[in-house]
Structures are given as structure tokens and as C-alpha cells.
């Protein structure tokens, strides 16, 4: 699978509202042939729009389009797209960053018009400000025309228990029954989420959100003039409801033309303002953003005033909130100077009582069978490292921490005393080679454990945590014959689902505003409308954030993986019986981790568990399905799903056969 298939390029190009808004604004802005600069050109779509707009002008003067794109694989795609559309001579493209372009060397003159779309969910994260600064200083005429013309960010104060659990580990773990403290008292900054705005599909939790204010404007950025690197905005907000402020939800609105008639918004669905209104199309490439208020949040009463001080740098926005009784600053955040920063979902998992109770039960069961064990934590689980050292005073623990490395060492040193053991009880193996009997002083490993979790791999497909199985195999020479492995096995689970929004966002491209893009489908990982026998890739998504969804079958097991044995190829199949009528767009797949040999502790990571991503296999064409024996016409009632696991690549291949 090409790396570009895992990005949001395809989703962005399938966003009709975005494409139409840019086309209308470009047609309106470019009234005569001129020099147009496209920064971050991607497939060249905006460049071709600009070239076409100049081609319709009643002027004999010749214009030109300069496109720059720094990412080489995308430049190769752009070259193909331009050729297919007969635009190869109309667009002059460079495989460079825009700040590497030079007037008089790369381009003959400064550009009169700038078209660009280097925006992320936060607006600034892809370097919008420094890019505009350099363009205005070196590449554009004075007072240029730009598409977009302006971007405005908005925010709203919200209360949400779900959002609170994504960052406040200290308070949430107080009620756990294991006595482990990942964030001990007095060490509030030792572990937390990164202090930033976190992209999220907030419509998916709209029923769980208590809105505590009206929307408020935060920042305004004009593309047609040079922006400042630093800026701040002070906003007085009046609370509209009683509650506790857990987060600031933010979004942005693009004004694409200078007259203010063409807009595009990333506002959540509950916003009804004429300008900032929801576009009506689910999209994955731009979401809302969530800024977590530290700790338990700020209690407010209806009518109470809240002072928000927003600050932006070149690439990020941060917030300070003040009420008459409380002041929350960015530096007060429980993650401001964390030794370890983890994803919000990982923080929520570590604060989840049910998950921790399962881990506690499984590990206690293992320890009953071993005296003075040598235990190896094969993944990056600081939680299991603490738990095994806390539960078994006679155990020796070696943590591999392949991703955390030295950060894991420093963390354990800081929290060991608060968790009832000395830091030397847990050794972090930091050699680049694999663990040997020499490293264990000739003692064989009695317990091999993992969650499994690997630092930095939060966005991966579920079965890519089978790295644990691979590690177990490579450690075979140091494992005791009767070694206990946790988890002892994994089950690949699946469910047939209706996923219309996700399917549309991942469908094959044909023409975008009359420009043929079909040549990019394979590289960008298109799934829907693929011609036979092509198959789309398996992709990771939080299913709960995927817009409209509906389960069409019971959950079923496709195959099992036995971690007591060395890693090897696996094959499985399952007959799917549909339990609901509807349009099946694909299958959602995940891993259930069986933590003990008695199958008494099983941790599922399915669609109902919102802290884990699932794998999605979309069908080339949606299939009408129904319940066997019911009056559903020609609907499909059963289907065979087959899966193959390749240990050499760690990839899973999934195919289906209609019955």
C-alpha cells in the first residue's frame, strides 16, 4: 500500500463543497491573464482551475501559472494529472518548498494572484503563517489577489465527560482498584496529553455535549496581506448554561472571495450561523479542534463572565481562561512539561476502571502460577511495568520499551516510590540488539506480557500490534518452556456495516470540476467504485467518528492467533449472516485480546470502544442486504469473508464472496 493511501488527500479531493468553492472563487478572482502562484499544489487542481480561468479571459496577453509542491510522490502524481488533462504546458511546476523559489531564478516575476490550500483542522498547523510571510516578502506583488481571501477562527465553551476523560488521568485513576498511580500526587506534569488543539469529529459526540456559550470569534487572518508570527485575542464570553468547562471546541470559516459571497466552513453541525453553517458533507480531512481545559475544568453559572485569552504562534493556537474565581493558564496544564506525552485515547484507556480491572485480574492470575518470576514487558506499557512491580515484590522486571526508551526510564524513576517499589526493580533494556540469556544472567523468562501498546503507533491498524507476537518469537531463546504469555491469543473480529459517508469519501475520483483525476485512484487508496478485480486497502478509522453508520450483522470471529507459538501465517474464514436490512458498504475489523488461557479476561477494541481505531475494508460497490427468509427481494442474506495474515509484512488481506 502506498503511503499516500493512508493520508487524507483522497478524502479532500472527494469534498465537492471545497472543490466548488475554490473553483467559483478562482473564476471570480482571475479576470485577466496574469501570473498565478499555487503553493502546496498537490495534484495541481487549483493550478488547472487558474489556467482555465485565464483561458476564458478576453485578453490577448499571456498569463502563467507557477505551482510548487515539496512532496515528490505528489509531484509525480501532479505531472500525470496535468498530462491527462492537457495542461502540461499551462502549468509550470517545481518540486520545491515555496520558500525555496526565487524570482529571477525559478520564476521571471512576482505573482499577481496567490491560490493556496495549506490548511489543517487547526488552520495554522501546516505552516500557513510562515508560508504567507515568505510569499508576500519574496514572491507576490504588493496588494495581491488571493484565494482564499480570509480565514476566521471561532470557538465555543463546552462541557463533556467524554472529553474530560481524554486528558485528566490524575482524577480518573483515583477510583481504580489497583493502587497504581500513573500520575502520583505532586507529579501532575509527569504524564499527559500534548498541549495543543486536537482534531476531532465533534458531531459524533454532540448529544453528550452541554454548550456553555454562544460561538465567539477568536482570530482573523487575511491572506492578501503579510500575517504576524505572533498574535493574541481577548474575548469576553457570557455563560449560557450552568456547567463545567471541559474544553474549547474550535473551527474555522474561509471567505474565498474579496466580496464575501463564497464561504467554506468546518463548523460542527449544531452551528446555524449563515456564514459559519455546517456544509452538510461529512469529511475526514478537516475536523473541528478540541482544546482541553486542565484538570476537572472550570465550574461556571449561567450569566457568569469568562475571559478567554487566545495566543497564536506561527503554527499553533493556545488558550488561557479566567473566571472571577478561577484562572487556567496553558502552563497549568497537566501536560505542559510532561516527561511523557501520550494520545488522548491512551490517557483515557489508562484512566478507565474497567480496562485497569481487567489487566489487574489477568496479571494476578499469572502471578499465582509463578514464584520469583522474571517478567519481560515486551511493549511500551508503563502501566504494566508499574503493576507487575507493585503486585509481586519478588519479581524481577525487564521492560523493553522499544518506543519510549530513555523517556520510559526517566518516567519509572520518577514514579517508582509513589507506587511502592524501588526504581532498580524494573530494568529498562536499552541495547539495540535482542535480549539474550547473558542479559538475564542466564535466567529464563517466566512471564512475557504486553497490553500490547507501542508508543507512536496509535493511528495504526489494529493487527499491527502483532509486533508483540513478533517480539515473542524473537525472544524464543530466552523464554522458559512453560513461559506464560499475556495476552495469550488474539481474535480477529468483524461486523458488516453501512458506512455511506466513509464510502463516499474514499470512492474513486473521476472528474473534479471537469478535471480528470482517475489516474490518482490507485496511489491514493481509493476503495469505492474500483473496477474488478482491484481491491481497496484496509484503512484505520475511529468508526464512531465516521458519520452515518449502522451494524448489519452480528459480530463474528474470522480467525485466531496463538501467541504461545512462534509467529506464522494464518488463514480464517467466516460465513456472515445479515441481521438487518440496508446497504452494506464494507466490513469493520478489530482485535479482541484474550489475556489469559481460561478466556476469562478478554479486552475488545471494537466499534463501541471509542478509544481504539478499527480497520475498515470497504466494498467496491455497496451491496443491498437483508435477513434470510424475510421479504427483502433480491437482497443478499449471507456472505463469506476470508482473511489471510502474512507474518513477513504484518499485513492482513481480506476478501469477500457473495452468496
Amino acid at each position: 500500500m502506498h503511503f499516500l493511501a493512508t493520508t487524507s488527500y483522497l478524502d479532500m479531493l472527494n469534498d465537492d463543497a471545497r472543490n466548488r468553492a475554490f473553483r467559483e472563487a478562482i473564476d471570480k478572482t482571475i479576470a485577466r491573464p496574469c501570473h498565478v502562484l499555487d503553493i502546496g499544489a498537490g495534484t495541481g487542481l487549483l493550478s488547472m482551475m487558474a489556467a482555465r480561468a485565464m483561458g476564458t479571459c478576453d485578453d490577448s496577453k499571456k498569463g502563467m501559472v507557477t505551482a510548487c509542491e515539496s512532496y515528490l510522490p505528489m509531484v509525480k502524481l501532479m505531472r500525470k494529472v496535468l498530462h491527462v488533462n492537457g495542461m502540461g504546458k499551462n502549468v509550470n511546476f517545481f518540486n520545491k518548498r515555496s520558500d525555496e523559489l526565487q524570482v529571477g531564478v525559478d520564476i521571471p516575476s512576482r505573482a499577481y494572484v496567490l491560490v493556496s490550500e495549506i490548511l489543517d483542522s487547526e488552520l495554522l498547523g501546516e505552516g500557513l503563517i510562515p508560508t504567507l510571510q515568505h510569499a508576500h516578502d519574496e514572491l507576490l506583488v504588493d496588494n495581491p489577489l488571493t484565494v482564499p481571501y480570509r480565514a476566521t477562527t471561532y470557538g465555543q465553551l463546552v462541557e463533556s465527560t467524554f472529553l474530560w476523560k481524554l486528558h485528566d488521568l490524575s482524577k480518573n485513576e483515583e477510583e481504580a482498584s489497583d493502587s497504581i498511580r500513573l500520575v502520583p500526587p505532586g507529579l501532575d506534569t509527569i504524564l499527559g496529553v500534548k498541549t495543543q488543539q486536537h482534531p476531532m469529529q465533534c458531531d459524533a459526540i454532540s448529544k453528550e455535549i452541554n454548550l456553555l456559550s454562544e460561538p465567539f470569534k477568536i482570530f482573523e487572518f487575511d491572506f492578501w496581506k503579510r500575517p504576524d508570527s505572533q498574535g493574541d485575542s481577548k474575548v469576553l464570553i457570557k455563560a449560557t448554561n450552568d456547567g463545567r468547562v471541559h474544553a474549547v471546541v474550535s473551527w474555522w470559516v474561509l471567505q474565498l472571495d474579496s466580496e464575501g459571497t463564497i464561504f467554506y466552513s468546518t463548523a460542527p453541525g449544531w452551528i446555524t450561523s449563515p456564514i459559519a453553517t455546517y456544509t452538510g458533507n461529512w469529511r475526514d480531512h478537516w475536523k473541528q479542534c478540541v482544546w482541553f481545559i486542565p484538570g476537572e475544568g472550570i465550574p461556571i453559572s449561567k450569566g457568569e463572565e469568562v475571559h478567554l485569552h487566545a495566543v497564536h504562534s506561527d503554527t499553533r493556537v493556545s488558550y488561557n481562561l479566567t473566571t472571577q474565581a478561577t484562572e487556567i493558564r496553558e502552563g497549568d496544564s497537566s501536560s505542559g512539561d510532561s516527561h511523557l506525552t501520550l494520545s488522548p485515547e491512551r490517557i483515557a484507556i489508562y484512566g478507565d476502571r474497567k480496562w485497569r480491572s481487567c489487566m489487574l485480574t489477568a496479571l494476578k492470575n499469572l502471578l499465582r502460577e509463578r514464584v520469583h518470576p522474571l517478567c519481560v514487558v515486551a511493549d511500551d506499557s508503563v502501566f504494566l511495568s508499574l503493576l507487575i512491580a507493585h503486585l509481586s515484590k519478588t519479581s524481577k522486571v525487564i521492560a523493553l520499551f522499544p518506543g519510549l526508551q530513555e523517556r520510559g526510564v526517566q518516567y519509572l524513576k520518577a514514579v517508582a516510590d509513589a507506587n511502592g517499589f524501588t526504581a532498580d526493580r524494573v530494568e529498562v533494556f536499552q541495547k539495540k540488539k535482542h535480549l539474550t540469556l547473558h542479559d538475564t544472567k542466564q535466567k529464563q523468562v517466566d512471564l512475557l506480557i504486553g497490553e500490547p501498546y507501542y508508543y507512536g503507533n496509535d493511528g495504526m491498524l489494529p493487527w499491527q500490534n502483532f509486533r508483540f507476537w513478533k517480539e515473542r518469537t524473537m525472544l524464543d531463546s530466552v523464554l522458559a518452556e512453560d513461559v506464560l504469555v499475556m495476552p495469550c491469543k488474539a481474535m480477529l473480529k468483524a461486523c458488516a456495516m453501512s458506512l455511506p459517508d466513509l464510502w463516499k469519501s474514499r470512492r474513486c475520483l473521476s472528474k473534479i470540476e471537469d478535471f480528470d483525476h482517475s489516474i490518482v485512484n490507485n496511489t491514493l487508496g481509493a476503495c469505492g467504485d474500483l473496477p474488478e478485480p482491484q481491491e481497496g486497502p484496509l484503512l484505520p478509522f475511529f468508526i464512531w467518528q465516521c458519520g452515518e453508520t449502522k451494524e448489519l450483522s452480528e459480530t463474528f470471529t474470522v480467525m485466531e492467533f496463538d501467541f504461545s507459538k512462534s509467529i506464522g501465517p494464518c488463514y480464517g474464514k467466516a460465513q456472515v449472516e445479515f441481521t438487518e436490512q440496508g446497504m452494506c458498504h464494507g466490513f469493520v475489523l478489530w482485535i479482541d485480546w484474550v489475556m489469559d488461557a481460561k478466556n476469562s479476561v478478554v479486552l475488545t477494541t471494537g466499534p463501541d470502544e471509542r478509544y481504539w481505531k478499527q480497520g475498515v475494508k470497504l466494498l467496491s460497490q455497496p451491496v443491498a442486504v437483508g435477513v434470510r427468509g424475510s421479504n427483502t427481494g433480491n437482497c443478499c442474506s449471507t456472505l463469506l469473508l476470508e482473511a489471510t495474515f502474512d507474518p513477513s509484512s504484518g499485513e492482513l488481506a481480506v476478501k469477500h464472496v457473495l452468496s
Side-chain angles (χ1 to χ4, degrees), residues 309-580:
H309 183 201
V311 178
H312 79 76
S313 65
D314 276 348
T315 56
R316 54 169 293 198
V317 176
S318 60
Y319 304 100
N320 298 330
L321 269 70
T322 309
T323 64
Q324 188 172 359
T326 311
E327 180 173 7
I328 298 291
R329 294 185 178 276
E330 178 186 345
D332 295 337
S333 168
S334 60
S335 59
D337 57 348
S338 299
H339 293 176
L340 284 183
T341 57
L342 302 178
S343 71
E345 291 76 22
R346 181 55 43 180
I347 292 295
I349 290 168
Y350 283 163
D352 186 77
R353 280 179 291 171
K354 179 182 175 183
W355 183 88
R356 287 173 67 140
S357 177
C358 287
M359 285 293 181
L360 177 63
T361 300
L363 201 50
K364 279 184 173 180
N365 291 343
L366 286 186
L367 289 171
R368 289 193 187 102
E369 302 182 42
R370 291 292 182 271
V371 180
H372 308 301
L374 172 59
C375 176
V376 170
V377 180
D379 60 356
D380 285 307
S381 179
V382 292
F383 176 78
L384 287 180
S385 300
L386 294 178
L387 187 59
I388 186 70
H390 175 80
L391 289 176
S392 176
K393 306 303 181 185
T394 61
S395 64
K396 172 63 178 177
V397 184
I398 298 176
L400 300 187
F401 286 175
L404 290 177
Q405 288 291 298
E406 182 61 28
R407 284 167 293 194
V409 175
Q410 297 305 317
Y411 172 79
L412 290 181
K413 285 181 179 178
V415 303
D417 185 60
N419 285 280
F421 65 90
T422 56
D424 61 358
R425 288 274 316 288
V426 181
E427 175 191 348
V428 178
F429 185 73
Q430 293 185 278
K431 298 179 182 178
K432 292 187 177 180
K433 61 184 181 66
H434 291 286
L435 190 71
T436 66
L437 286 173
H438 174 75
D439 301 309
T440 64
K441 299 180 174 58
Q442 304 305 310
K443 181 170 174 57
Q444 291 184 310
V445 175
D446 303 293
L447 305 177
L448 181 69
I449 64 175
E451 299 180 21
Y453 161 69
Y454 292 94
Y455 182 74
N457 284 4
D458 300 271
M460 308 289 273
L461 287 160
W463 41 90
Q464 287 172 317
N465 279 323
F466 285 177
R467 177 176 175 178
F468 175 80
W469 196 9
K470 185 176 181 180
E471 293 283 354
R472 175 254 175 272
T473 303
M474 300 180 89
L475 291 171
D476 204 47
S477 62
V478 301
L479 300 181
E481 285 189 14
D482 59 348
V483 64
L484 298 177
V485 181
M486 183 187 95
C488 64
K489 68 177 180 179
M491 296 184 290
L492 178 65
K493 296 285 188 173
C495 179
M497 293 192 72
S498 175
L499 302 161
D501 293 323
L502 182 60
W503 189 88
K504 289 175 186 174
S505 78
R506 302 297 309 184
R507 70 190 304 179
C508 283
L509 300 168
S510 52
K511 288 196 172 183
I512 304 176
E513 298 298 326
D514 290 329
F515 292 111
D516 188 353
H517 272 66
S518 57
I519 199 167
V520 308
N521 285 323
N522 186 55
T523 304
L524 296 187
C527 302
D529 289 334
L530 270 178
E532 297 290 348
Q534 294 183 44
E535 294 262 347
L538 281 154
L539 297 169
F541 287 98
F542 288 112
I543 290 301
W544 68 273
Q545 292 193 49
C546 286
E548 183 184 343
T549 64
K550 179 184 177 182
E551 294 183 4
L552 299 175
S553 75
E554 300 289 347
T555 294
F556 55 92
T557 301
V558 183
M559 63 174 146
E560 296 187 357
F561 310 88
D562 185 356
F563 298 157
S564 68
K565 303 174 182 177
S566 296
I567 193 170
C570 299
Y571 169 80
K573 62 182 179 179
Q575 192 74 29
V576 184
E577 294 280 344
F578 295 103
T579 57
E580 296 284 342

Side-chain angles (χ1 to χ4, degrees), residues 15-30 45-54 56 115 147-148 256-257 262-264 512-515:
D15 186 345
D16 293 337
R18 163 197 175 268
N19 300 333
R20 181 171 58 253
F22 271 92
R23 190 261 304 160
E24 290 176 353
I26 288 172
D27 286 348
K28 186 175 181 181
T29 300
I30 301 177
L45 177 61
L46 303 188
S47 292
M48 292 189 293
M49 289 179 178
R52 182 175 62 187
M54 284 191 286
T56 63
V115 296
V147 178
L256 288 103
D257 63 328
I262 305 171
F263 293 92
Y264 181 97
I512 304 176
E513 298 298 326
D514 290 329
F515 292 111

